[in-house]
Amino acid sequence: MDRRQFLSWMSVGAIATSLPIALAACNSNSETTTEAETPESPTAEAEIAESPAEMASTDLAEDGFVNVGTTAQLDSEGFILDKDAATPFIAIRNPDTQEIIALNPTCTHNGCIVDYDGADQEFACPCHGAKYDATGAVTNGPAEDPLSVLESREEGDAVFVKIS
Ligand code: FES
């Protein structure tokens, strides 16, 4: 073995010896970075867990009305619904007057959230079949009481519902 071959073998040995150390160093660095970047802090979780209802509450006016969306959103989707709000609500347009109506979509029979059928302009409960017209009046049992009406108003292109 000449000098050149000896040095070549030595450099291969040095790389082979130091490779596991280098990998371990990279691995411990990545663990540290991963722990620092994971959303385990309460602030990160709070931001992820924030629901539309919680975001809407930041728009709470002193009179208890909440900006729940825009008239464009209401008109394109047919309704604005938040069943997870402190007081669940659904806003629609009264098919007769085109004014905004807001109702609590909680079925008065046993508490299921009703679905709005814009084509038939009625609310239908998926649990036991109760139906309500667009103003919340019962049209089919077993529910006996109407859906609760919530105060609502339209200001410019914004829809407000009194949730509290
Ligand atoms: Fe709606 Fe029973 S909960 S009909």
Side-chain angles (χ1 to χ4, degrees), residues 25-45:
C26 290
N27 192 24
S28 68
N29 279 347
S30 64
E31 285 176 9
T32 302
T33 303
T34 302
E35 287 173 12
E37 293 177 353
T38 54
E40 293 179 1
S41 69
T43 303
E45 286 181 356

Side-chain angles (χ1 to χ4, degrees), residues 18-145:
S18 62
L19 185 60
I21 295 168
L23 288 175
C26 290
N27 192 24
S28 68
N29 279 347
S30 64
E31 285 176 9
T32 302
T33 303
T34 302
E35 287 173 12
E37 293 177 353
T38 54
E40 293 179 1
S41 69
T43 303
E45 286 181 356
E47 288 173 5
I48 291 168
E50 191 171 53
S51 73
E54 290 167 329
M55 289 187 288
S57 69
T58 60
D59 297 329
L60 183 67
E62 288 181 14
D63 59 3
F65 281 86
V66 174
N67 181 345
V68 298
T70 64
T71 53
Q73 177 187 358
L74 176 69
D75 293 335
S76 68
E77 297 175 15
F79 60 87
I80 298 173
L81 169 69
D82 188 345
K83 55 187 173 186
D84 297 321
T87 300
F89 67 86
I90 184 166
I92 62 169
R93 284 207 184 271
N94 182 321
D96 296 328
T97 66
Q98 294 304 304
E99 291 180 356
I100 292 174
I101 302 174
L103 301 162
N104 183 331
T106 306
C107 182
T108 58
H109 175 240
N110 208 17
C112 294
I113 299 295
V114 298
D115 299 318
Y116 182 63
D117 181 345
D120 289 338
Q121 300 171 346
E122 69 177 8
F123 296 93
C125 181
C127 293
H128 309 108
K131 290 188 177 181
Y132 306 83
D133 69 15
T135 65
V138 177
T139 58
N140 189 57
E144 296 179 355
D145 298 318

